[in-house]
Amino acid sequence: NGIPTTWLNYGTANGTSDPDAKWEYRGPSTTPNNTVGSRGAYFSSPTPIACATASHGFVVFDSDFLDNAGIAGNFGNGIAAAHHVAELITDRIDLSSYSVVDLIFTQYYRRFAGPGGSQAVPATYVDFSTDGGTSWPYSVTLNSGVSVNSSTSTNDVVVIQAGSYIGGEDSVKVRFRFDGDYYFWNIDDIS
C-alpha cells in the first residue's frame, strides 16, 4: 500500500531541498504502475524490479527521469535536477532482544556516478542509527562492484550483517540513501 506514513522520505536536487527529489512507490494502482521501472531517457526499457512481491509494488529512486524528464539531452531540465541525495528512513525499530541482525532486501540498481559526481563510487548506501535518527554513525556502501553504465540483476538480493551496528539497540532506524547522478535504484521486500 505504498511507503509507510511513519517513514521519512525526502531529498535534495542540485544541492537544494526539493519535494520532487524523493523515493516513489510504484504499485498496481499508481501512475506509472508496478510494471514500469525507470522512466529516464538513458535506459532502453522501463523494466521494473523482479522480486517475489513486485506485483504488490516497490519503491524507486529514478534520478535519470528526475533530471531529464525522460528526454535524451535534456540534462537538468526535469522536475528535480541532479545531483540527488534522497533518503528513505524507517520508523524506530526495537532490536533490544536481538544481537544477531541481518537486513535483507531485493534491489535493482543501474550505476552512473556517486557523491560529487564521482564515477569511482556508487550512489547507493544503507545507514544505521541507534539513537532514533539523531546521528547516523554506521554506513554501508553498496554496489561498488557494479561498473559505470551497468546494473545489478533485476532481482539482486542484498544481505547486510548488521548486528555489530544495531544489535541489542532499542532505537534503531535504517536509512536507504541515494547520493549521486543517474540512473535508478529500485528496492523491495525489506526484512
Side-chain angles (χ1 to χ4, degrees), residues 64-75:
D64 183 348
F65 176 76
L66 292 172
D67 184 68
N68 63 40
I71 302 166
N74 192 39
F75 300 108

Side-chain angles (χ1 to χ4, degrees), residues 15-102:
T16 304
S17 180
D18 189 317
D20 293 315
K22 63 183 181 179
W23 291 82
E24 179 183 353
Y25 168 70
R26 300 263 172 87
S29 302
T30 63
T31 303
N33 66 20
N34 58 317
T35 65
V36 177
S38 175
R39 297 182 291 159
Y42 296 101
F43 196 58
S44 60
S45 166
T47 305
I49 193 170
C51 59
T53 64
S55 63
H56 299 289
F58 59 92
V59 294
V60 58
F61 187 78
D62 197 354
S63 180
D64 183 348
F65 176 76
L66 292 172
D67 184 68
N68 63 40
I71 302 166
N74 192 39
F75 300 108
N77 293 311
I79 60 172
H83 180 94
H84 297 119
V85 179
E87 300 178 354
L88 182 61
I89 303 171
T90 67
D91 49 1
R92 190 182 70 78
I93 304 167
D94 183 353
L95 297 174
S96 58
S97 298
Y98 305 95
S99 59
V100 178
V101 180
D102 291 340

Side-chain angles (χ1 to χ4, degrees), residues 58-178:
F58 59 92
V59 294
V60 58
F61 187 78
D62 197 354
S63 180
D64 183 348
F65 176 76
L66 292 172
D67 184 68
N68 63 40
I71 302 166
N74 192 39
F75 300 108
N77 293 311
I79 60 172
H83 180 94
H84 297 119
V85 179
E87 300 178 354
L88 182 61
I89 303 171
T90 67
D91 49 1
R92 190 182 70 78
I93 304 167
D94 183 353
L95 297 174
S96 58
S97 298
Y98 305 95
S99 59
V100 178
V101 180
D102 291 340
L103 174 66
I104 304 168
F105 61 94
T106 304
Q107 70 166 355
Y108 178 30
Y109 168 65
R110 185 170 186 222
R111 177 177 172 175
F112 186 68
S118 171
Q119 290 187 327
V121 292
T124 51
Y125 303 87
V126 173
D127 307 315
F128 298 100
S129 172
T130 57
D131 58 11
T134 301
S135 65
W136 299 91
Y138 309 108
S139 184
V140 176
T141 303
L142 302 175
N143 302 307
S144 294
V146 176
S147 302
V148 173
N149 296 324
S150 296
S151 63
T152 66
S153 65
T154 58
N155 62 348
D156 185 50
V157 175
V158 175
V159 178
I160 299 172
Q161 295 177 342
S164 62
Y165 308 132
I166 56 178
E169 299 291 337
D170 67 357
S171 296
V172 172
K173 287 194 175 190
V174 178
R175 175 171 68 185
F176 298 90
R177 177 171 46 100
F178 183 97

